[in-house]
Amino acid sequence: VRLLLCHSCMDAELQAAREALARELYAYRCGDSGLAPTRHGLNLFLAAVVKQAAGTEKAAGRTLRLRGLQLGPRSGKAIARALCGSDFGGLDLFNNPSLGDSGAAALLPLLGSGQITSVRLGACGLRSAFAPALSRALLASQDGAQLLTSLELGGVPSDAKIGSEAELSGANQLRAIAGLLETLAERCTALEVLDLSHNALGESPDADAAVSALAVLIGGGDAADGGCKALASLSLACNKYDLDRLAPLLGALSYADSLTSL
């Protein structure tokens, strides 16, 4: 079901398209979790989707929000099909820990084409395969990489206590991140927001290479004339780094004229 949501669409068409997508996502959620669909469950799901959509219909470049809906791997393809050709510029799937690398990978053509310029995939169960896949998609894109303004791959559900099992199971654990950061510095010059918090990056085999790549990304190191000069917000909280290992990044802050939040 494709969300053909141009500004001239009638409210009835918009509502019908949204409900059709929600029904498809609910069926996939039940299939991924092994639960039998019920009328009551569908009604609750539809109500949650409608509630998150409130206030987004009239905004230019609006964001499709499907947060905390227990979406699984098969939901990614359904969302990608629905958004293709629509006028949505943002996608927020925060707190869908069953989505995983395969579900998120299905969304990458939307970023590569430049249609989606703001994406939030924090607490979506992303692991070792996603960062390299995203890097390849951005490198292969024509103009999409240059249009990306916000990439949020961090955070934990607000109701998860720090250090709890819920936090550990819900947070992403991105790996092989250095290559992605190099791609962002090279291709995504309009990037304004980058959230990599709660990924335990300090435990990744390329942890130190990631810090060096971040230094280049914010405009320091050997690429004082490159990097993401528009970057205003960088979140690295809860990544199991000590200050000594972050020294290359801290030393590059003098180049980061636009960075206002770290």
Side-chain angles (χ1 to χ4, degrees):
V1 180
R2 183 171 294 181
L3 292 178
L4 298 175
L5 303 182
C6 60
H7 293 295
S8 61
C9 283
M10 298 175 62
D11 290 342
E13 292 179 290
L14 175 59
Q15 182 177 350
R18 184 192 299 121
E19 181 174 337
L21 172 61
R23 288 177 181 275
E24 186 177 10
L25 292 178
Y26 176 71
Y28 284 145
R29 188 184 77 167
C30 292
D32 285 333
S33 62
L35 299 176
T38 66
R39 171 60 61 180
H40 179 64
L42 175 60
N43 288 339
L44 290 176
F45 191 85
L46 291 174
V49 171
V50 170
K51 182 178 180 180
Q52 293 192 44
T56 65
E57 288 83 354
K58 304 300 182 182
R62 55 181 173 263
T63 295
L64 176 63
R65 295 183 179 88
L66 298 168
R67 304 177 60 173
L69 295 177
Q70 302 175 45
L71 301 179
R74 287 187 286 181
S75 297
K77 290 184 178 180
I79 294 169
R81 287 195 303 269
L83 287 178
C84 183
S86 75
D87 62 354
F88 279 89
L91 177 62
D92 184 352
L93 296 180
F94 181 74
N95 190 21
N96 283 290
S98 295
L99 186 69
D101 288 346
S102 60
L107 305 168
L108 296 182
L110 297 173
L111 277 71
S113 69
Q115 178 183 331
I116 296 298
T117 61
S118 173
V119 63
R120 189 176 189 189
L121 293 172
C124 280
L126 304 184
R127 296 295 186 263
S128 60
F130 181 74
L134 175 55
S135 179
R136 290 191 296 270
L138 294 173
L139 285 172
S141 69
Q142 295 295 323
D143 301 316
Q146 298 176 17
L147 298 174
L148 185 65
T149 60
S150 180
L151 181 62
E152 297 182 70
L153 303 176
V156 292
S158 59
D159 58 350
K161 295 182 180 179
I162 299 299
S164 69
E165 183 177 346
E167 182 196 20
L168 295 176
S169 63
N172 292 336
Q173 294 182 35
L174 294 171
R175 294 297 179 264
I177 192 73
L180 172 60
L181 295 172
E182 291 169 359
T183 298
L184 294 176
E186 177 186 345
R187 301 295 303 276
C188 302
T189 54
L191 190 67
E192 299 174 0
V193 176
L194 178 61
D195 183 356
L196 298 173
S197 63
H198 296 89
N199 270 282
L201 296 180
E203 297 180 345
S204 176
D206 67 341
D208 294 330
V211 172
S212 298
L214 277 169
V216 174
L217 185 146
I218 66 174
D222 296 329
D225 296 327
C228 302
K229 294 297 188 180
L231 192 69
S233 176
L234 173 62
S235 180
L236 297 172
C238 300
N239 268 304
K240 300 187 178 181
Y241 277 111
D242 56 40
L243 287 178
D244 289 340
R245 297 180 73 189
L246 290 174
L249 175 62
L250 298 177
L253 289 177
S254 59
Y255 295 99
D257 296 333
S258 61
L259 193 63
T260 59
S261 176
L262 176 62

